[in-house]
Every structure is written in C-alpha cells, then in structure tokens.
Amino acid sequence: MTKILLLGCGNMGGALLKAWAANTDHEFTVADPAKPDLPQGVTQVGSVEELGEQIFDYLIVALKPQLIDDVLPGYLPRLSPSGVISSIAAGYSAAKLAAHAPGRSVIRIMPNLPAVIGKGVSGLYAHGAVSETASGDIEQLALCSGEIVWVDSEDMLDRLTAVAGSGPGYVFEMLRAYVEAAENLGFSEEDAKNLVLGTVRGTLELALESDLSLEDLRKNVTSKGGTTAAGLDALNGKEEFSALICDTLDAAYKRAVELR
C-alpha cells in the first residue's frame, strides 16, 4: 500500500485529504500539531518523533509558505530514498522545495477553491526526473477533486495560477457586483441573488453542454437592437471589459512570479 505523509492540514489540505481518502486506497498520515478533523482511517501525529521509524512513499506539503523552510527539513528523513515531494502550497517554487532535498523529484499541485467540492481545476508541474508511477499517483490524487492540466514549466504554473488558482476570486467579485446591480434595479437581496446565481448556473451548464463557441452562444442570445445588445454595448462595447480581464490576469501572474 502506498504511504503518504501530509505536512499540515488546513482548509484546503483537509478538503483535498477527504477526497483522496474516499477515492483511493493509499495510507495517509497527517503531521499537524493542531487537531484537524480527519477522515476515518487517517492517522495524525503532532511531531516527527511520533512517526517513529515509519518511511513514506510521498511527502505532500500543505503548509503555509512561510512555515516550509522550518518544518520540511525535519520530515525529509521519513521519505523513502525513491520518494517524491509534492506540494499544494502556493507561492513556494518547486526549485525551493528541491533545494531542501537535492536529487529528489518534486511535483507541484495548484488547486483552486472549487476543489473542496470536487469541482476544481488543478495545475500540475513536475520538477526533475519524475517516474511514470509517481506522476500517475499524484495525477490520481488531483483528479479526485476535479479536472487537471499538466504544464511543462513553473512559469506556466504561475500563469495557470493567475487564471484558475485566483479565478474563483474574480468570479465571486463579478457575481457580487452583478447581484448589487440587480438590487439597484429594485429586487430584494434574496431575489437578486437567486436571479443572478440561477442565470449564471444555467448559462454555464449550457456552455459546457454545447458544441458552439462562446462567441456563437453569445450571438445566439443577442438580437440586433434588443435588450441584450444594449447591455453588451455598455459592458464591452469599447472592449474595456476585455482589457480589464487581461489586466486582472496579468497582475495576478506578475504577483505569482514575485512570490516564487
């Protein structure tokens, strides 16, 4: 049985662990001095000493980035000689992880918030020579929480972070503004939220099920001189909204590079 040691178990790590434990037959141990709510069958220790002589096939880092340099070195002796380091920590590069254990392979996973309900999109990046078995095992874990995209450089992982990792934040802000605008048209907060979220959910499901491009779908709902055309002209008639989205992703990407 594959043995996996998870360093840290906060909100994202805990949510992913529940999906991993429910959908794989791996043996999981969590190292966290706190008392996280763990799935049945998962072992928890508060320190490396409590691990005894146990050796693990994978060490997955789910710590806050500022804690990694202090915590990771103490647990590396518990990783088998052929073991692989993986990480879901944002803002901490694979090169930094590898520097703690020269010669080790590293696989970073960049999940986004919907992963906590199994609807996420995760980016994966392999640093160093990673075996097919290791990449397959980590891919299996990532698929437990949604879709995956492999990238071939850490720079592309930063770009993916700007699109998908930070993406839920952009969407929540757009939804907030959309609901507020509906309230300004006279709807109650509850009705405005139901109208907006229902519209977005139905539109998203239609887009996912359709073979048409997003542009064609937009054209299909837009009659010349109609209400949708008027709204779209206000939204993006001068392509200001398109430019704003590009600026948003570019700012997030640049910050990801700085944090790396």
Side-chain angles (χ1 to χ4, degrees):
M1 180 178 292
T2 300
K3 297 183 65 175
I4 298 176
L5 176 63
L6 182 66
L7 291 188
C9 193
N11 292 335
M12 179 61 78
L16 294 176
L17 177 61
K18 289 178 181 178
W20 298 342
N23 293 283
T24 72
D25 58 1
H26 302 323
E27 179 182 314
F28 293 94
T29 299
V30 170
D32 194 320
K35 299 295 182 183
D37 181 23
L38 301 177
Q40 185 175 4
V42 174
T43 303
Q44 187 260 337
V45 298
S47 67
V48 67
E49 289 77 17
E50 294 179 38
L51 290 173
E53 300 300 317
Q54 291 188 75
I55 298 297
F56 296 86
D57 302 295
Y58 296 95
L59 191 161
I60 300 180
V61 180
L63 299 164
K64 293 180 179 179
Q66 61 268 30
L67 298 177
I68 295 175
D69 288 340
D70 291 332
V71 177
L72 177 59
Y75 285 89
L76 284 173
R78 303 273 66 82
L79 184 63
S80 74
S82 60
V84 172
I85 301 170
S86 187
S87 172
I88 66 166
Y92 199 95
S93 71
K96 287 181 180 178
L97 289 166
H100 282 290
R104 296 279 191 180
S105 299
V106 175
I107 301 178
R108 281 189 63 193
I109 307 172
M110 183 65 241
N112 65 2
L113 185 59
V116 303
I117 60 168
K119 299 290 185 179
V121 179
S122 298
L124 284 82
Y125 164 64
H127 179 86
V130 178
S131 69
E132 289 187 13
T133 297
S135 61
D137 284 342
I138 298 300
E139 180 175 294
Q140 179 190 36
L141 293 180
L143 284 169
C144 291
S145 56
E147 304 293 329
I148 65 167
V149 175
W150 280 97
V151 295
D152 58 8
S153 71
E154 196 138 47
D155 183 67
M156 284 304 300
L157 192 66
D158 288 338
R159 294 171 189 267
L160 184 146
T161 299
V163 176
S166 299
Y170 318 147
V171 175
F172 285 135
E173 176 60 14
M174 286 186 279
L175 292 174
R176 183 206 60 76
Y178 195 175
V179 169
E180 185 178 86
E183 291 180 51
N184 289 339
L185 281 180
F187 292 99
S188 68
E189 181 179 356
E190 181 181 0
D191 284 346
K193 185 175 180 180
N194 288 337
L195 282 169
V196 168
L197 295 186
T199 297
V200 171
R201 178 174 59 191
T203 303
L204 176 59
E205 290 179 0
L206 178 60
L208 290 170
E209 294 177 7
S210 177
D211 292 328
L212 296 176
S213 69
L214 296 177
E215 183 176 4
D216 284 339
L217 287 169
R218 186 205 65 209
K219 288 178 179 178
N220 285 349
V221 76
T222 308
S223 300
K224 186 176 181 180
T227 59
T228 305
L232 285 171
D233 187 60
L235 177 68
N236 203 30
K238 298 180 181 179
E239 298 191 353
E240 293 174 342
F241 183 70
S242 293
L244 179 61
I245 295 297
C246 287
D247 289 345
T248 299
L249 299 189
D250 190 54
Y253 163 63
K254 289 178 179 177
R255 183 56 178 158
V257 172
E258 291 171 358
L259 291 173
R260 192 201 312 163

